[in-house]
Amino acid sequence: MDVDLRQLRCLVAIVDEGTFTDAALTLGVSQAAVSRTLASLERALGVRLLRRTSREVTPTPTGLRVVAHARRVLAEVEDLVRDATSGHAQLRIGYAWAAFGRHTLAFQRRWGQEHPETDLHLVRVNSATAGLAEGACDLAVVRRPVADRRFESAILGLERRLCAMAADDPLARRRSVRMADLAGRTLLVDRRTGTTTPDLWPAEARPAVEETHDVDDWLNVIATGRCVGMTADSTASQYPRPGVVYRPVRDAEPVAVRLAWWRDDPHPAVQAVMELLASLYREG
């Protein structure tokens, strides 16, 4: 089966314009060319798509379904062309759990003011590269070292580690906690994207571990008191939750916040993004 975009555009034009003559004017071809193109599409699909009388052209039931699919395909192609030829007028930054924490809103506003020619979109993708490897974004903010050699990365700043716990947990009465306070607890972690692993504790004092793959699930379980979590400061900024409190872990190493991008095809905005975010992290 061989269906091309020219055939789909012809079918949609006929339906939208109502006649072969008007479709031909819209497409800039002859009426005979419109008839031939439609006939070739119907042969390729093996179905009749339009009913043609002396007064009007109407889609068959199958034709209605094909037209709906054709509109979606043509819209996707337009998006593809726009994205490929726009001169990077759009910037998608992926993140797994939390974007830039308390700096997120300031970054969005300042980017809009300083770079109005480039539309910014933050995209949440819970993968090791926050959507970069999957093609869901142009740049990604990650909080673990980037081992994949296809990507470059740079550290933007550091964030405190916090312990997330139920509001009625005995540790919640403290202003801060230590790593040793968590050794006897059950730690809820996301091994795919999270910053916390049992290796942060000595081998003889590691907490038990349960796994999750979603920040909302992580918060819901912690709120029950069954588990505690340890996370970067950005999570607390972006995900306040009734029933959950965050306390600094005063003897834990901070979390490095990194920006990652494709090594062989960097987005032109990489340097501008790094400079703005680095300044926000320096400002605190």
Side-chain angles (χ1 to χ4, degrees), residues 7 14 17 82 88 153 159 188 199 211 239 241 274:
Q7 293 168 324
I14 295 169
E17 300 302 328
R82 188 182 305 112
H88 297 283
S153 66
E159 294 178 342
L188 192 60
D199 295 336
E211 289 195 46
Y239 296 100
R241 178 67 61 91
M274 282 198 299

Side-chain angles (χ1 to χ4, degrees), residues 125 127-140 142 148 150-151 260-262:
V125 182
S127 74
T129 63
L132 195 58
E134 294 82 359
C137 60
D138 307 299
L139 309 175
V142 294
D148 194 323
R150 294 177 298 170
F151 307 121
W261 60 91
W262 284 92

Side-chain angles (χ1 to χ4, degrees), residues 98-121:
F100 312 112
R102 64 183 182 277
H103 304 303
T104 302
L105 181 57
F107 174 75
Q108 291 174 295
R109 288 180 171 174
R110 286 179 57 175
W111 183 267
Q113 294 164 359
E114 298 173 15
H115 304 278
E117 74 286 354
T118 303
D119 290 334
L120 172 67
H121 301 275

Side-chain angles (χ1 to χ4, degrees), residues 119-200:
D119 290 334
L120 172 67
H121 301 275
L122 299 183
V123 184
R124 183 171 169 236
V125 182
N126 196 37
S127 74
T129 63
L132 195 58
E134 294 82 359
C137 60
D138 307 299
L139 309 175
V141 56
V142 294
R143 288 173 172 80
R144 300 197 303 189
V146 181
D148 194 323
R149 294 182 60 83
R150 294 177 298 170
F151 307 121
E152 292 275 8
S153 66
I155 295 178
L156 304 169
L158 301 176
E159 294 178 342
R160 299 181 301 170
R161 288 186 193 267
L162 305 180
C163 177
M165 65 193 79
D168 59 356
D169 190 297
L171 290 176
R173 294 194 292 267
R174 303 184 186 181
R175 296 179 61 183
S176 63
V177 299
R178 293 183 177 276
M179 297 283 288
D181 297 325
L182 309 177
R185 309 295 292 274
T186 299
L187 191 68
L188 192 60
V189 302
D190 182 348
R191 293 185 189 274
R192 184 167 50 187
T193 64
T195 58
T196 301
T197 72
D199 295 336
L200 294 172

Side-chain angles (χ1 to χ4, degrees), residues 25-49:
L25 291 172
T26 297
L27 296 171
V29 299
S30 68
Q31 183 175 334
V34 170
S35 297
R36 288 195 300 270
T37 302
L38 176 67
S40 69
L41 177 59
E42 291 182 325
R43 283 196 303 272
L45 297 177
V47 295
R48 188 174 183 184
L49 301 174

